[in-house]
Amino acid sequence: AAYKESDSVPSLPFAIFQDGRVPDAFDNETYFGPPGGVGAQGEDTLIDGELQHEFLDNLKLTVRGSYQETDLDYQNTQGLYNYNFDEGRFGIAPSNPVGNFYASTGTFDEDVTYFDSQIAWNTSLGSTKVDVVVGATLQETNQLSTFGFDGFNAVVPITNPDFLSLPIPVNTATPTPFFDGTIDLMSFYTEAIIRPTEWLTIPIGIRRDDLENTLRDPTSGGDDLNEDDFVQETTEDFDDTSFRVGATVAVTKDINVYLSFAESFVPQ
């Protein structure tokens, strides 16, 4: 088990011109935001456990599980963008070097439940050694974010900014639901490591991921954290099968050469 408390200053991103340059007025100090009035306090709790049981000398069950909860409250000065989109591109145009800043207050809460179970088995088929792992993973992630504008907006010249004039949170905003969602991921996988000789190792794996992403839209009604306020719900399903294969060759006692191909599924 682990518990962590944090007290930090949310960072203020660098200003970026459309050609990728950072204005000279921005340096490592400005990255930490305007002086005073901003901060974030958070708590993070993790409970993690693992159980291993050997049925036989060559057959082992491993079960892992964890629960992690994160709670973050923040006040921040942020923005640093230009809505004018000069020259037809995102970013701040050198012809109009100003940035929009605003103060905000909000929260971010997340809890993640994770479970993984796998069976590992090894055997010999003549002179060939084989290790096989078969497993399944379940993961549920719940996220709730609230947000509120907390003070006035400011338009600041980027080439010669006065950071003392940036808006500072005044602690008068009541954050309202900004994002609420649940991600459920179920995965099944198997991998074999084959060693036909002492100088050759071949890993082969296949994995199936099924993900369900549920979003509850607070903009459809409501202004507090009651679950009934999230009246519009959208569910998206993603799934994919990915593969990996490779080989490691011991050229000499001290030199190995390897080749691998792997795919991964990262839903956006």
Side-chain angles (χ1 to χ4, degrees), residues 43-58:
E43 295 181 335
D44 188 273
T45 303
L46 170 66
I47 300 174
D48 183 34
E50 178 175 306
L51 172 67
Q52 294 186 0
H53 178 69
E54 293 187 359
F55 294 98
L56 303 169
D57 291 339
N58 64 339

Side-chain angles (χ1 to χ4, degrees), residues 174-194:
T174 300
T176 58
F178 180 69
F179 172 87
D180 183 27
T182 300
I183 301 174
D184 292 303
L185 176 64
M186 179 181 295
S187 305
F188 301 93
Y189 59 90
T190 182
E191 180 172 285
I193 299 178
I194 304 171

